[in-house]
Amino acid sequence: MSFFTAENLSIQFGGVKAVTNVSFEVERGEVFTIIGPNGAGKTTIFNLISLIYPPTSGRILFEGQEITGLAPHRVANLGIARTFQNIELFEHATVLQNLLIGRHTHRTTALWQELLFLPPVRRAEIAHREAAEKVIDFLDLQHYRDSFVAGLPYGVRKVVELARALTTGPKLQLLDEPSSGLNPEESDDMAFWIEDLKKDLGITVLMVEHDMSLVSRVSDRVLALNQGEMLALGTSREVQSDPRVIEAYLGKQE
Amino acid sequence: MAQFLQLALSGIAIGCVYALVALGFVLIYKATETVNFAQGDVMMLGGFFAYTATALMGWPYWAGIVFALAVMAIFGMAAERIVLRPVLGQAQFTVVMVTIGVGYVMRGVVTMTPGWGTDTYKIATPFAEKVVNIGGAAISLEQLMIIVMTAALCAVLFAFFRFTRIGIAMQATSQNQLAAYYMGIPVARVNTLIWGISAAVATFAGILLAPITFVHANMGFIGLKAFPAAVVGGFGSIPGAIVGGLIIGLVESFSGFYLPEGFKDIAAYIVVLLVLMFKPSGLFGEKLRKKV
C-alpha cells in the first residue's frame, strides 16, 4: 500500500479535457513535484487532490483509504494541508491567530466548557499555543507573531501560509507554487524549509513548481505534464533530459 | 434634564432593537456576503411565535422567549439550506431578490395563518406598566429591560465569537472561506448555523420590540431603520451594528422632540447620508483594499 495514490485521474470542464488519465504514487517521506508549462493542468490536479472539485473519473487514495468525493474540509482531518499559489490567509487577524486556527481540528472541548473557560480548555489552549510556537520557531516568524497579516510583505505572507498549514499537523503537505512571487533569497529559504519539512518533520511533500532550480534541489521525483497528460516521471535529472519534456517547454527542434 | 434623560433612554431602547436587527444583517453579510432583506420579516415571525407561546399556549414569558428563539433558529437554518444554498454562487442580485421574495412570502403566510392574521397582538411581559425613577426621569421598566436584555445578549454573543471553537471558526470563515476549508472548518455547516443565529437574534429583537409596537404582520418594516443602522456602523462590523443602531435610535428620539414634526421619520436617513459623506466605509468599517 502506498502512502498517496492518484489513479487514472481525469476531469473535463464542458468539452475541455483539463486532465486526462493521470496516475502516480507518492511514497511516505519523499518530495514529489509536478511540473509542466502553463496550462498543463498542474493546478487542476492540485484542486482535484484537495477535493475542491470531484474528478470526472479516477480515484484518489490516501493511506489506503479512498478520499475521492469527500467534502474539502475533511482533508485537514485526514492529515493533508495545502497552500495556495495566490496566498489565502485570514487578513484581519494576526499571524499567531492565523496559526491557532490551524489547530481547529485538534480542538475537542465542548462549547459550554469553552464559554466557562474550564481547566481542560485552559490546558488545551496552552498545548495549541505550544504547537503554534514550535512552527513559529521552525520558520523564524518570531518577529511577526503579533503583526496583522494584511500589512505584511508578500514574501512573509507566503511563509505565514506555510506556517499555518504546518500548524494543522499534516502528514502530507501540498504546496502550490511555493516560490512564486519570491525573490531569489526568499526562494532559497523556501527550498531550505522544504528540505527541513522532509528531514526534520518527516512530512511528505507534494508540490507544483515552476522554478526548475528549486525543483531539482528538493525533489526526489518529478512528474512532467503537458496539456493534461503525463509526459515523464522520474528523478529531476531524468525528467529534465527527456526529449518530450524539452519539446513541450521549448518546442520541436528543427 | 429629566426630560433629556427620558428621551435618551427611550432612544437607546428603540436603538437596541435597531441594533439587534442590524446585527442580524451583519452576521449574514459577513458570513455569506449576502444582504438578507427578509431580516425584518424574520423578526416579525419570531414575534408571532413568542405571541403564540405566551398568549395562545399560555406559557410563561421566559419560556415563550426560549421557544420562539429555538423555533426561529431552526427556521433560519432551514431557510439557508432550502432557499439560499441553491442560489449561492449566482449573481448578488439574484440572491438579494430571493431574500426579498422570502420576506414577502413570510408576510403573506402570516396573514393567512388562522389565529395570526392581520390583527395586532400584545405579548404580556412580567414588567408591564412598572415605572422606574432614574435621576428624576420616569422610565418604563419595559424600556429598561430592552436595554438590559440587549446588553446581556451582546455579552453572550461576544463570548461566543471570541472564545468558542465554533465562534472562532465562524470568524475565520467570514474572512476567507477557501482557507477555512483547509483548516478543517465545515464551511457550509458554519454558514447554515450563522443563519440560525441571525434569525434567533432577530427574534430576540422582535420580542423586545413587542411591548412598544405590538406584534403585527408589518412590524418587519422596522428593518428599513435597521438597515441604515448597519450602514452607519460600517456594514460588516458587529460592534458597528450595535453603535449604529444606538445612534439611529438616539437621533430619532431627540429629533422627534426638538425638531419640527416629520423629521423623526427621515432622521435616520440624514444620519446615513452624513456618515457616508464623511466616512464612506462607516464608523467601524474595515477598509478592504485588495493587495496585489
Side-chain angles (χ1 to χ4, degrees), chain A residues 50 52 88 90 92 104 114, chain B residues 164-165 172 175-176 182 185:
Chain A
S50 47
I52 288 188
E88 302 288 346
F90 303 111
H92 302 286
H104 180 83
E114 289 159 6
Chain B
T164 69
R165 174 179 188 256
Q175 286 193 26
N176 191 331
Y182 293 98
I185 297 168

Side-chain angles (χ1 to χ4, degrees), chain A residues 50-52 72-73 75-77 82 84 88-93 98 101-102 104-105 107 109 111 114-115 150-152 157 164 168, chain B residues 156 159-160 163-169 171-173 175-187 189 286-288 291-292:
Chain A
S50 47
L51 310 181
I52 288 188
H73 70 264
V75 297
N77 271 318
R82 79 165 282 183
F84 295 84
E88 302 288 346
L89 284 165
F90 303 111
E91 298 284 328
H92 302 286
N98 265 273
I101 295 169
H104 180 83
T105 55
R107 290 178 196 270
T109 43
L111 182 73
E114 289 159 6
L115 281 172
L152 294 175
R157 290 148 60 89
R164 189 186 57 188
T168 66
Chain B
V156 170
F160 175 76
F163 299 117
T164 69
R165 174 179 188 256
I166 184 73
I168 291 166
Q171 285 196 54
T173 307
Q175 286 193 26
N176 191 331
Q177 293 209 355
L178 196 54
Y181 269 122
Y182 293 98
M183 300 295 106
I185 297 168
V187 172
R189 212 179 307 154
E286 290 166 342
K287 287 197 185 62
L288 284 176
K291 271 203 169 179
V292 184

Side-chain angles (χ1 to χ4, degrees), chain A residues 30-44:
Chain A
E30 77 173 331
V31 176
F32 187 97
T33 307
I34 302 174
I35 62 165
N38 287 327
K42 304 181 298 284
T43 298
T44 308

Side-chain angles (χ1 to χ4, degrees), chain B:
Chain B
M1 187 58 212
Q3 192 174 52
F4 181 85
L5 198 65
Q6 204 154 350
L7 285 171
L9 275 168
S10 70
I12 290 175
I14 190 75
C16 282
V17 175
Y18 296 155
L20 290 182
V21 180
L23 186 62
F25 277 124
V26 169
L27 285 174
I28 288 178
Y29 179 76
K30 269 179 82 96
T32 54
E33 291 186 5
T34 305
V35 179
N36 175 24
F37 281 100
Q39 200 63 29
D41 299 297
V42 171
M43 180 195 86
M44 176 270 297
L45 189 62
F48 269 98
F49 274 113
Y51 160 74
T52 306
T54 53
L56 300 184
M57 289 153 59
W59 290 16
Y61 182 67
W62 297 107
I65 290 184
V66 172
F67 171 77
L69 290 181
V71 171
M72 289 307 291
I74 293 168
F75 174 87
M77 290 191 279
E80 193 276 340
R81 193 69 192 79
I82 298 164
V83 185
L84 265 301
R85 201 176 298 175
V87 294
L88 219 64
Q90 304 286 337
Q92 283 279 309
F93 183 70
T94 315
V95 184
V96 166
M97 286 310 289
V98 165
T99 66
I100 293 175
V102 167
Y104 269 101
V105 170
M106 286 168 67
R107 247 170 287 153
V109 168
V110 164
T111 53
M112 285 188 292
T113 304
W116 289 358
T118 50
D119 286 342
T120 297
Y121 301 101
K122 203 173 160 193
I123 296 178
T125 64
F127 10 88
E129 283 157 35
K130 289 192 185 109
V131 173
V132 187
N133 199 317
I134 302 174
I139 309 296
S140 81
L141 186 62
E142 277 176 341
Q143 283 190 343
L144 209 59
M145 282 310 287
I146 291 179
I147 300 171
V148 171
M149 282 161 74
T150 302
L153 180 67
C154 289
V156 170
L157 286 176
F158 175 81
F160 175 76
F161 283 112
R162 185 71 192 276
F163 299 117
T164 69
R165 174 179 188 256
I166 184 73
I168 291 166
M170 282 173 177
Q171 285 196 54
T173 307
S174 82
Q175 286 193 26
N176 191 331
Q177 293 209 355
L178 196 54
Y181 269 122
Y182 293 98
M183 300 295 106
I185 297 168
V187 172
R189 212 179 307 154
V190 161
N191 286 344
T192 307
L193 216 54
I194 285 275
W195 275 77
I197 292 175
S198 171
V201 170
T203 299
F204 203 72
I207 293 168
L208 295 183
L209 185 64
I212 301 178
T213 69
F214 303 109
V215 175
H216 56 92
N218 286 330
M219 79 189 287
F221 285 122
I222 201 173
L224 295 178
K225 291 278 175 54
F227 197 72
V231 173
V232 166
F235 226 100
S237 160
I238 291 176
I242 308 288
V243 173
L246 294 179
I247 289 175
I248 301 281
L250 282 169
V251 167
E252 230 183 48
S253 173
F254 285 123
S255 61
F257 187 80
Y258 292 111
L259 296 178
E261 194 167 326
F263 269 98
K264 184 173 191 256
D265 294 323
I266 57 167
Y269 304 103
I270 293 176
V271 173
V272 170
L273 284 177
L274 287 176
V275 167
L276 288 182
M277 271 160 71
F278 294 107
K279 216 164 175 310
S281 55
L283 297 178
F284 290 73
E286 290 166 342
K287 287 197 185 62
L288 284 176
R289 262 175 296 151
K290 197 93 183 167
K291 271 203 169 179
V292 184

